[in-house]
Amino acid sequence: MEKRYVITISRQFGSLGRPIAKRLAELLNINFYDRDIVEQAAKNLGLPVTVIKDNEETIKNRFSFMSYPLGTEATEQQDAIYNEQTKIVRDLADKGSCIIVGRCADYILGNEKNCLRVYIYAPYEERYRNCVDILHMDQESAKKMIRKVDKARKAYHLHYAGYVPENQDHQDVLINSSILGINGTAEALAAMVKIRFCLSEFEA
């Protein structure tokens, strides 16, 4: 019988957590879920996807949406979206092995026996360099977004989970992505996952 497990990824802005998570999903041959969970929640609630999309376009910065994990609508609507996405996260975890980025999945699935919670971080200078060299942001935008997005993610996590995402009491693995880079970090995590869940090469 195939083993079912889920990996949650929380990350600092500029630590390249998303591409690492995507590469990890490829290495393990499992599904990868990110911001599409929010869009699905909006659809399930009968809200137009533009509730979120319009905010991104209005700000005219393709990274600015990261400052508002649930958009910028009223708190009641944000709560409704969060509650709906909680159901989606649980359903996805029940369906099969997968990686879920953000969305407080580490909190939502915290009591799951087959869940590995990962927090990806990197020194400020490395994140700044990633923003400029890899994400092609100008220097001032990079500095602003690192500060703004980190603050927003912490506030979001603290509000719904009751703790900041880097809290080691609520994460199983904290890894500095600047040491091994995207591929190396993904490969290191893949090796850890295989050991943690007793996966054979065939299963992974």
Side-chain angles (χ1 to χ4, degrees), residues 51-169:
V51 164
I52 296 171
K53 293 291 187 183
D54 283 350
N55 282 308
E56 299 169 13
E57 294 171 0
T58 301
I59 298 172
K60 300 184 184 302
N61 182 322
R62 67 192 180 96
F63 297 102
S64 292
F65 72 88
M66 297 180 181
S67 301
Y68 307 96
L70 294 180
T72 57
E73 298 300 310
T75 301
E76 293 81 3
Q77 195 169 78
Q78 289 184 4
D79 288 346
I81 294 173
Y82 172 78
N83 291 334
E84 184 61 31
Q85 79 173 12
T86 295
K87 297 176 187 176
I88 295 171
V89 165
R90 287 178 175 150
D91 286 344
L92 292 174
D94 286 339
K95 285 181 180 178
S97 298
C98 63
I99 291 176
I100 300 176
V101 177
R103 318 273 70 86
C104 277
D106 57 302
Y107 168 69
I108 295 169
L109 302 174
N111 293 324
E112 288 285 324
K113 181 174 62 174
N114 293 326
C115 178
L116 185 70
R117 301 164 298 175
V118 177
Y119 180 74
I120 298 174
Y121 69 97
Y124 177 85
E125 287 303 321
E126 292 292 332
R127 294 195 288 143
Y128 170 75
R129 190 174 299 113
N130 289 337
C131 289
V132 174
D133 296 342
I134 297 178
L135 300 180
H136 307 296
M137 301 176 70
D138 63 74
Q139 295 180 358
E140 286 307 310
S141 293
K143 293 176 184 177
K144 180 179 179 181
M145 291 305 294
I146 288 174
R147 181 175 64 254
K148 190 173 182 179
V149 176
D150 279 350
K151 181 179 179 181
R153 285 179 179 168
K154 285 183 179 183
Y156 168 77
H157 219 89
L158 188 60
H159 178 73
Y160 288 108
Y163 59 87
V164 292
E166 65 267 34
N167 187 324
Q168 62 186 21
D169 291 334

